[in-house]
Amino acid sequence: MNALAERLATIVGARRVLTRVGELRSYESDGLPGYHHRPALAVFPGTRDETILVVRLLAETGTAFVARGAGTGLSGGALAEGVVLLGLHRLGRIISVDGDNARATVESGVVNSKLTRAASEYGLHYAPDPSSQTACTIGGNVAENAGGPHCLKYGVTLNHVLALTVLLPNGEVVTLGNASGEDSGYDLLGAFVGSEGCFGIVLDATVRLARDPQGVRTLLADFSSVDAAARAVSGIIAAGILPAALEMMDAASIQAVEASIYSAGYPTDAAAILLIDLDGAVAGLADDADRVEEHCRAAGARAVRSATDPEDRARLWQGRKKAFGAMGRISPHLVVQDAVVPRTRLPDVLAQITRIGTAHRVNVCNVFHAGDGNLHPNIGYNATDPDESSRVHAAMSEIMQACIDAGGTITGEHGVGLDKLPYMDSLFDAPTLDAMCALRDVFDPQRRANPGKVVPVHSCREWHGASSARATVAR
Amino acid sequence: MIDGATATIAERVREARNARTPLRIVGRGGWLDAGAPVSATNALDVGQLRGLVEYEPGDLVLTAQSGTSLDEIAAATNAHGQWVPLDPFGTNDGSLGATIATASFGPLATAYGTPRDHVLGARIVTGAGETINVGGRVVKNVAGFDLTRLSTGAWGTLGVFTQVTVRVRALPARDRSIAIELADTPGAVDAAWHWLRNTPHAPLAAELVDPARASALGLRARTVMLLRVGGNDAAVRAAVDDALQVGPAEELPAQIWTRLRAGEPRGVTVRASTLPSRIESLWARCRDAVSPWDGTLCASLPRGVVRCAMPPGNDAEVVRALRVMGGQAGDVSLVWERAPSEVWREGTGRADPVRTRLGESVRRAFDPDGVLNPGIIVQ
């Protein structure tokens, strides 16, 4: 380890190579508090060139590594047990913003909200807006194919990336996609987005920027049952209205938020609320808002109100965006899930979740992107209590299975990482998992980039045949 | 559990592997005359894999067998006030599978994206004869590596689609189309582009056609922007009013788009693309390149793509002229849709060796014995 650390220090400077246990503590976890995986060492290149030299050194020494942006991930993807952690948050340059063509090229360490701020002078913003956007990096967003509440209308990261400069694990640099025209050939860009750091590292990304809408209306509707809120969602979607965002929170989440500093004025006696954004040209916006309100009332909403000004709107949204933080305030630990079910199955899956929570005596808080059926059932608990922990994990497994059985998927935006690995066998058959391994082997034949994540190891044929250079750090 | 039709396809692929007799994948035959140099004499016919597999309108998701035509899908979804807004050039009796395999798109890509933005999942028989189920049937999904995106636009060289799952959208409440004549002066196309760039009304489609094409559509022989807007009453009225500042306008029937897409000449066809802000310059260069051979142009202004479609004949000269145009303009990408086989084999000529190697490795991984559409090089 010392030899490698010394060589890395000659590239990035001694200050940027961490080897002591105390220094590495903050890198033992990502956004999920329940995991503690200590890297062998952590290295933080400051420039594109340093990054390339670092990865080439790791290739030369056959060393496995895990890339990490801001560490806000919710699937354990950036955990680096006993291997090199490659931190990319120092690659923070906004290389260019093209207002005319509504695109920007940024290094992978640029923070999501910082890109939007830079775009704002052109009347543009970067649309994928995960709740962690004030901390998470574009590189991390690309790795996870991040979404966010406004992806209902605007799409996810995949729909916004035009080109990537990728550093392959063997040290080669390649451009995927095309920043200035149509791409042709295999959609390697599309395959790379969402590959969770297993195919290589993003040095920079060229992304589409979205026009700031001419007008925005934010509505808050409250309901005396979750079913009624789900009916309203179906009604709105079936009517052909596409809100920019359509979020639901249940009673437990509402109460958690209202008890915290993020209090948004949500009615604490509601069984569920819908937070709805409509945006676009001003002409026509009022009509759509009226119809959304009609659908909410027809489904039984007790009250529907519109945000009165930008501050009101920001406050309503803060409650939603900080919901996980509010829940984290109540319990020492939080298990977060990210399943997606067909929209029409929402009411019955939510009912099942309630039953499962009751059966295992755990408190499930549901926050979700109701417009696309993406649920975040979260359970706060004390992980040092073994009985409670086992009940929580049993509940989560059942919830996940219920979502899969309903025709859904195990992750809508957080990624598989380490945390959802156990469910991959339930979701995909063996030939499909094997095909995923085969694709990864194209980019990383030595399996050194984020090893052991996304696809269960036992699903990959010839794993043992490829093991010659998969060693964890041994020097 | 695999359906019978897929199992049959898988059996055919395995037989082809064993016998070393490669296959040409054929859906409804729409691409057979595109010039793609497939060096296989046996056809793998997926055209009879037709019909919906699953369609729940409330979920805005539809799964169909890959040989189902776009017309059939339109009929099924329109009945519920919905549509799958995939409108590749050509006719609507092309199959869903071919549309996805060739990543073909049309005017509605302006609002709804290209096939990669529509496909949620698929059932695929790989060149190794394995059946894989990629993606899923929900609208948001990041589970596992994205084999769905990898297969889209792969021209059948990695696997055969037997089922495809796509997003469905609600039909817009109002859907109006107008034709706006542009002045025949420098800066006119640029002005239209700037209007599109700045308008708060995001159109469904905005296509520029040259005078010959306009005339073929029954309009005056001018450079015309065909604009399609959708939304509620108030939104559509405001969008049309806003567009009038670009030039004199006339209302168009809804069928204009079908006629535009089906009315291309069937010779060499290429898509030239650049940064959208440079569209006027690319348009002018394309006009110069195609006019000696009576070619026609149709450009997506917001996307910066100019389709150059030529009458049959003079293929070699036409290709040379278009290549020269693409080379001169710098930052112009050419994607051939219909061209002599040599052009396909030579590829874009600009391939980066690392990217080429990745592509070749992908192909070997999914079709180790080269049984599917050999001869097509996807680069």
Side-chain angles (χ1 to χ4, degrees), chain A residues 121-137:
Chain A
E121 73 176 89
Y122 302 96
L124 301 168
H125 65 281
Y126 182 59
D129 61 339
S131 298
S132 54
Q133 68 185 142
T134 54
C136 63
T137 63

Side-chain angles (χ1 to χ4, degrees), chain B:
Chain B
M1 238 190 0
I2 301 302
D3 59 292
T6 303
T8 307
I9 299 284
E11 190 50 45
R12 290 280 325 271
V13 173
R14 284 194 291 271
E15 277 165 12
R17 250 190 112 180
N18 292 338
R20 299 210 173 309
T21 52
L23 298 167
R24 172 172 209 159
I25 304 169
V26 181
R28 313 202 26 140
W31 285 93
L32 287 173
D33 61 344
V38 180
S39 53
T41 45
N42 293 0
L44 178 62
D45 183 4
V46 292
Q48 7 80 331
L49 265 66
R50 291 164 66 167
L52 299 194
V53 174
E54 189 176 304
Y55 172 42
E56 175 52 67
D59 288 333
L60 294 176
V61 170
L62 177 150
T63 302
Q65 294 201 77
S66 56
T68 311
S69 73
L70 299 180
D71 264 339
E72 288 163 344
I73 289 169
T77 51
N78 291 171
H80 293 273
Q82 300 186 333
W83 61 342
V84 175
L86 267 176
D87 61 341
F89 281 80
T91 59
N92 283 346
D93 64 0
S95 70
L96 178 63
T99 305
I100 304 306
T102 58
S104 300
F105 61 93
L108 289 172
T110 291
Y112 297 106
T114 58
R116 83 206 289 267
D117 303 304
H118 290 256
V119 192
L120 299 175
R123 179 164 291 169
I124 297 171
V125 175
T126 68
E130 296 276 353
T131 300
I132 60 178
N133 291 288
V134 306
R137 293 187 181 181
V138 285
V139 300
K140 254 176 104 173
N141 192 353
V142 295
F145 302 130
D146 202 338
L147 299 171
T148 312
R149 243 46 63 187
L150 184 73
S151 312
T152 303
W155 284 81
T157 59
L158 304 180
V160 189
F161 286 113
T162 61
Q163 292 185 7
V164 181
T165 302
V166 290
R167 288 180 190 279
V168 175
R169 309 280 186 169
L171 283 166
R174 291 279 173 270
D175 183 351
R176 273 176 78 183
S177 299
I178 58 175
I180 299 176
E181 279 183 19
L182 301 191
D184 192 20
T185 51
V189 171
D190 200 45
W193 183 79
H194 270 99
W195 174 79
L196 278 167
R197 158 82 182 79
N198 295 323
T199 180
H201 309 280
L204 298 182
E207 301 281 309
L208 195 66
V209 295
D210 62 7
R213 202 68 171 276
S215 174
L217 291 170
L219 305 170
R220 296 207 312 161
R222 301 278 190 275
T223 301
V224 172
M225 176 169 73
L226 304 175
L227 189 72
R228 185 171 185 176
V229 291
N232 63 34
D233 267 338
V236 167
R237 263 184 282 115
V240 170
D241 285 346
D242 192 37
L244 299 178
Q245 65 186 274
V246 181
E250 88 180 69
E251 198 82 16
L252 294 170
Q255 298 75 32
I256 194 75
W257 299 101
T258 310
R259 284 166 44 209
L260 173 72
R261 293 160 46 221
E264 281 190 327
R266 302 285 285 175
V268 170
T269 304
V270 71
R271 302 196 298 265
S273 59
T274 187
L275 282 175
S277 60
R278 299 188 192 151
I279 191 76
E280 173 162 288
S281 152
L282 180 59
W283 178 262
R285 268 186 268 261
C286 289
R287 280 194 78 171
D288 290 342
V290 311
S291 57
W293 289 285
D294 297 323
T296 74
L297 305 183
C298 179
S300 166
L301 285 172
R303 298 178 62 86
V305 179
V306 181
R307 288 180 70 83
C308 308
M310 318 298 298
N314 303 304
D315 287 358
E317 295 94 329
V318 161
V319 166
R320 193 174 315 124
L322 289 165
R323 273 191 167 145
V324 165
M325 182 272 299
Q328 276 174 349
D331 269 357
V332 170
S333 306
L334 294 182
V335 178
W336 299 93
E337 272 193 23
R338 307 169 64 82
S341 328
E342 318 77 74
V343 174
W344 288 81
R345 282 192 208 97
E346 289 154 23
T348 62
R350 261 197 250 171
D352 151 28
V354 178
R355 183 133 167 210
T356 302
R357 194 195 73 231
L358 290 172
E360 287 167 356
S361 299
V362 162
R363 189 156 188 183
R364 266 199 311 277
F366 286 82
D367 185 16
D369 295 322
V371 298
L372 297 180
N373 285 349
I376 290 187
I377 297 170
V378 183
Q379 57 158 302

